[in-house]
Amino acid sequence: MSLGNTASRRAGVAVLLTLALGACTAPGTPRDGAMPAPAKASGYLDKADAPDSLRLVPPPPAAGSAGMALDEAVSKQALALRGTPRFAQATRDADLSFPAGARQFACALDVPIDTQHTPHLYALLERSRIDASAATKAAKNHYQRPRPFMLNGEPTCTPDDEEGLRHNGSYPSGHSAIGWAWALILTEVAPDRTDALLDRGRNYAESRLVCNVHWQSDILEGRHMGAAAVARLHDEAAFRADLQAARKEVAAARAAGLKPAEDCDAQARVLQTRPDSAL
């Protein structure tokens, strides 16, 4: 066989291999060297492994009960905060989408939370959000408790969400479960920030009162389910690995002098305002 024929055959094989690899590219995969968009986040837990809120929380307060009277009193106090900076903060707290959701606790942590500087911490919050929310689903679906705005006729801080919220049970609060889970997880990442983080977890839940989308008993039992989710997450190797990596990222961010982009002093002042009867 001549050298010319050999070179020609090798070139032909290379062309065929290139075509074959191109045919195997998944639909929608960029062919210009760019990375595809990241896959949608998933929780650490299988659906069946989420704590069972229907078993773990009592029924919501009945109409005419002392518990419902307290819920109504707190709701009335929260409504008085409409139009204030606290109401504006509650509107920001309502956004669970990422990357906005990742930044909700940045001031309490005193470190920026993003994919550039703290990617494992970012993933830790995004994935645990899903698990904490799942832990409230059974009771939400069973009780289908009406939300405050459905009974008092007053608007919420997120009017575009109201139609969907009407079909999503109020009890227990998913936002409160998520916020409390984040607070607990972050205290393990940065133990020296425990008080600030737990305080943020509490007022993050209280934002749901200010938004007129939850009762006080909703947020209290939501925090209970957030704690239950975190307890269960510690049995997951992937969660523990991200937790350990997040500790290193926060330490590195501190060493580099990185600070949150938010106006943390202003946020702290605003969050001192609470509904008078909130527990």
Side-chain angles (χ1 to χ4, degrees):
M1 182 181 298
S2 70
L3 291 176
N5 287 339
T6 299
S8 178
R9 288 192 178 188
R10 286 177 177 171
V13 170
V15 170
L16 290 174
L17 181 59
T18 300
L19 292 174
L21 288 173
C24 292
T25 303
T29 301
R31 296 173 182 270
D32 57 0
M35 292 295 292
K40 183 178 179 181
S42 61
Y44 293 100
L45 300 175
D46 291 334
K47 185 177 180 181
D49 293 330
D52 183 1
S53 55
L54 193 55
R55 179 178 179 181
L56 294 174
V57 303
S65 68
M68 189 63 203
L70 178 59
D71 275 353
E72 290 170 341
V74 175
S75 180
K76 184 177 180 179
Q77 294 290 336
L79 284 173
L81 296 174
R82 180 174 292 113
T84 68
R86 184 65 184 87
F87 186 80
Q89 179 63 49
T91 304
R92 291 189 289 272
D93 286 348
D95 188 357
L96 282 173
S97 66
F98 273 58
R103 297 192 294 265
Q104 305 286 17
F105 280 66
C107 285
L109 184 63
D110 198 31
V111 166
I113 304 173
D114 54 43
T115 56
Q116 178 183 358
H117 302 103
T118 53
H120 286 92
L121 179 57
Y122 185 98
L124 189 67
L125 298 182
E126 189 173 24
R127 296 187 68 183
S128 61
R129 172 197 62 171
I130 296 167
D131 295 317
S133 177
T136 68
K137 296 297 186 185
K140 274 181 171 289
N141 294 335
H142 179 79
Y143 293 115
Q144 285 296 317
R145 187 186 195 188
R147 294 171 181 269
F149 75 90
M150 297 167 63
L151 300 184
N152 60 32
E154 298 292 340
T156 71
C157 69
T158 53
D160 290 345
D161 295 338
E162 288 178 15
E163 184 56 32
L165 290 172
R166 289 179 184 276
H167 305 287
N168 181 278
S170 188
Y171 178 87
S173 165
H175 270 74
S176 301
I178 292 166
W180 197 243
W182 283 347
L184 293 175
I185 290 167
L186 289 169
T187 63
E188 297 190 61
V189 173
D192 61 309
R193 300 291 298 175
T194 290
D195 287 351
L197 290 163
L198 293 180
D199 189 48
R200 184 68 178 107
R202 175 189 52 75
N203 55 51
Y204 186 83
E206 288 177 357
S207 285
R208 306 308 283 163
L209 303 175
V210 178
C211 269
N212 195 31
V213 293
H214 276 296
W215 306 101
Q216 176 163 256
S217 55
D218 299 342
I219 71 168
L220 295 178
E221 296 302 338
R223 296 204 304 243
H224 177 69
M225 292 313 304
V230 173
R232 177 60 183 80
L233 282 169
H234 279 82
D235 194 45
E236 299 299 313
F239 171 81
R240 296 195 304 272
D242 279 342
L243 185 64
Q244 183 61 30
R247 290 174 180 140
K248 295 178 180 178
E249 289 174 345
V250 168
R254 286 176 168 179
L258 300 180
K259 293 291 182 180
E262 293 76 11
D263 186 341
C264 294
D265 289 339
Q267 184 186 95
R269 288 192 298 271
V270 168
L271 289 173
Q272 290 177 7
T273 301
R274 303 180 62 202
D276 288 346
S277 303
L279 297 178

